[in-house]
Amino acid sequence: MWRFRGTDVAAARALVEAAFDADVTLFDTADIYGPDNDEEFGAAEALLGRVFAEAPGLREKMVLASKGGIRMGVPYDSSAAYLAEAIDASLTRLRCEKIDLYQIHRPDMLTHPQEVARALDDARTAGKITAIGVSNHTPAQTAALAEFITVPVVSHQPEFSALTTTPLFDGLFDQAMQRGMAVLAWSPLGGGRLADPTDERSRAVVALLDEKAEEAGVDRTAAAYSWIMAHPARPIPIVGTQNVSRIATIPDAYKPQWTREQWYAVLQASMGERLP
């Protein structure tokens, strides 16, 4: 929902319903989504809230995820007081009583993880959030939070694509598998670089994705998503398209089946070197 924007509620509702038609059930937003679209802080949540007001049944059909902890000009604040305020503000904008998955958007280095845990536990006890996750956190930062919280941290949200492979090597996927955490992969198309490769490395990756796409009878986007999904941590690509016809093609990601040789060939092309 990063690019979920505007004032046309009917068009916004059409996007949500198109996602349901494509068997998408997880909707991931954040309070900071808005300024990047030249809109107000919280604009994406507020637009979704207007959709819920028009069609309340849609809320019950989805897993609603949001994020907080970024403040304009600060930039990060996960203090107990601010998180309590941010969660209440998100609920008001979303016009709902509970957020299914609440994630700390970026780690706040000036807040002790025990304080973050206390704020999240309080919100969960009050029935305002159900599950707790982290976004853009290292495995060590996640482990520190998990040490103080009374329920499991259930999800990671890292950047991951065929061009950004850090979670494979920094222990994040290993931690996710060890703890049974979901992985929500943001920018799964490499920030647009897979659509428009401009350097030798991206062109090498794209060539291999295109080979797989042709083999499976899908487009490059589906091949890129499927490469992500092939990892045993079972990453879930966070698809950002705001186009109804593109949303309809999301299930094509299940069609390509990667052999080990093919999958590792993409990784090595991304690395620019062979694995030892």
Side-chain angles (χ1 to χ4, degrees), residues 94-275:
L94 290 164
R95 306 191 194 195
C96 65
E97 297 180 354
K98 181 180 288 188
I99 294 168
D100 299 318
L101 173 63
Y102 192 78
Q103 303 150 96
I104 302 298
H105 204 152
R106 297 269 179 179
D108 173 16
M109 300 172 195
L110 295 180
T111 301
H112 195 289
Q114 187 172 30
E115 182 178 350
V116 181
R118 183 174 73 250
L120 295 173
D121 272 333
D122 287 348
R124 189 185 58 82
T125 301
K128 297 176 181 181
I129 63 177
T130 300
I132 293 163
V134 293
S135 175
N136 303 297
H137 280 55
T138 67
Q141 289 165 336
T142 305
L145 177 62
E147 186 71 20
F148 296 104
I149 211 158
T150 60
V151 293
V153 178
V154 303
S155 65
H156 266 297
Q157 187 168 157
E159 181 177 7
F160 181 60
S161 71
L163 291 176
T164 302
T165 59
T166 306
L168 294 171
F169 302 103
D170 68 358
L172 190 147
F173 278 5
D174 303 297
Q175 182 182 65
M177 291 185 290
Q178 179 188 33
R179 295 174 178 246
M181 300 171 67
V183 176
L184 314 181
W186 66 266
S187 201
L189 300 180
R193 290 174 294 156
L194 290 176
D196 183 23
T198 57
D199 56 48
E200 183 177 349
R201 171 175 166 256
S202 354
R203 285 191 288 269
V205 169
V206 161
L208 294 170
L209 292 176
D210 284 347
E211 284 182 20
K212 192 63 181 178
E214 183 176 2
E215 174 190 305
V218 298
D219 64 13
R220 184 188 302 164
T221 296
Y225 294 155
S226 69
W227 186 85
I228 289 170
M229 295 160 61
H231 191 275
R234 301 179 65 193
I236 302 165
I238 300 296
V239 178
T241 181
Q242 302 292 297
N243 181 292
V244 168
S245 62
R246 295 294 299 156
I247 291 172
T249 67
I250 291 173
D252 286 349
Y254 290 101
K255 293 179 181 177
Q257 300 297 314
W258 292 85
T259 67
R260 270 182 164 75
E261 291 80 4
Q262 291 171 331
W263 192 90
Y264 276 115
V266 171
L267 176 59
Q268 290 176 120
S270 179
M271 295 169 59
E273 59 181 303
R274 296 193 64 79
L275 288 163

Side-chain angles (χ1 to χ4, degrees), residues 35-50:
D36 286 338
N37 298 321
D38 297 320
E39 296 187 328
E40 294 181 354
F41 186 90
E45 287 184 327
L47 178 57
L48 186 56
R50 291 194 290 274

